[in-house]
Amino acid sequence: MTSWLGVALLPSPAHQTAAIRLQNDVGGGLALHPPLSPDGNLPHVTVFQGPFLDSLDPSTELDRIVTAVGTSRCIALASAGVVYQPTGWVFLSLERRPLLEKIQQTALEALTPHLDRAAFERSKDVSQFSDEERESFARYGYRYTGAAYAPHITLGRAEETVARELVRSVPGRVHVPEGWVFDRFSFYVMGESGAHAEIVEEVALATRAGSGSPSGVRTR
């Protein structure tokens, strides 16, 4: 059976709250969908997502990713602003640090053997994808890998002209925090429009007391 799952970085509690508030502020009374919530659709930065075969063990692969990346500290990322993404998407864009590229490459190496390629959405309209995004989608079934990788928190989706206008009006209307902190990795069930609907596995980033050595702390 095919399972639609993803790997993500989750923000610290304070920045989770900030992301939910930012979605509301950017929407300005016009609800962006799906709504972010601390009890359901969590704000997150997707590392990779797609359809997987039963051969995938989320616990094993998440541990492998965290161990290979070798970071024990929370990951701080600078905001690159609220941006529009075809079609109808509103993103909080984040800096693309080499560490994030390493995280995604590690995830791809671990997860690619378990992809259910027969479940890729071959009929999806990719006419507004960049060349790099089309190549990524064809190879992995996910738009943002390799050269097309675009770290972001999805703030939601709206009708095309509405999304463009909301993004255009952000400067001077909405305060966008300059820095964001992420303290957990998660394996999650994909919901509406790829949302982070349910945690399957979660590993907190922590440092073993007194040693400074990496130690992933499983919180679920």
Side-chain angles (χ1 to χ4, degrees):
M1 184 178 71
T2 301
S3 298
W4 289 83
L5 304 171
V7 175
L9 279 168
L10 298 181
S12 67
H15 287 93
Q16 174 180 281
T17 299
I20 294 170
R21 183 185 306 117
L22 182 61
Q23 182 190 52
N24 293 330
D25 291 346
V26 170
L30 298 171
L32 292 167
H33 293 281
L36 298 175
S37 165
D39 302 316
N41 176 21
L42 295 178
H44 67 286
V45 173
T46 298
V47 175
F48 182 74
Q49 63 181 25
F52 290 98
L53 301 166
D54 288 341
S55 60
L56 175 71
D57 179 358
S59 177
T60 298
E61 300 307 335
L62 189 59
D63 281 342
R64 180 179 300 176
I65 292 166
V66 174
T67 299
V69 170
T71 183
S72 62
R73 296 176 296 278
C74 295
I75 297 173
L77 300 174
S79 166
V82 174
V83 301
Y84 166 81
Q85 178 74 354
T87 52
W89 292 102
V90 179
F91 287 174
L92 169 66
S93 180
L94 298 167
E95 65 174 324
R96 179 173 160 166
R97 289 179 51 190
L99 175 60
L100 293 186
E101 296 175 359
K102 180 180 179 182
I103 289 170
Q104 187 183 71
Q105 185 57 40
T106 300
L108 288 173
E109 291 170 0
L111 301 177
T112 297
H114 305 287
L115 278 174
D116 183 355
R117 296 183 179 277
F120 285 6
E121 298 178 74
R122 302 296 184 185
S123 62
K124 188 178 183 68
D125 180 7
V126 298
S127 60
Q128 295 196 56
F129 286 19
S130 68
D131 290 344
E132 291 82 3
E133 289 167 356
R134 278 192 287 271
E135 180 181 349
S136 174
F137 189 78
R139 184 175 183 183
Y140 294 111
Y142 179 58
R143 183 175 180 177
Y144 304 109
T145 68
Y149 184 38
H152 64 275
I153 295 175
T154 299
L155 297 180
R157 199 172 192 180
E159 193 275 327
E160 185 81 359
T161 57
V162 172
R164 288 180 181 273
E165 177 57 27
L166 288 176
V167 171
R168 185 200 64 78
S169 66
V170 163
R173 180 175 67 86
V174 177
H175 169 68
V176 180
E178 294 181 358
W180 297 81
V181 174
F182 300 85
D183 63 1
R184 293 169 289 158
F185 279 97
S186 75
F187 229 114
Y188 64 94
V189 175
M190 292 169 59
E192 178 187 350
S193 299
H196 191 297
E198 179 185 343
I199 293 174
V200 177
E201 293 289 338
E202 183 178 19
V203 176
L205 296 175
T207 301
R208 190 177 301 131
S211 69
S213 301
S215 176
V217 179
R218 187 168 298 284
T219 57
R220 177 171 178 155

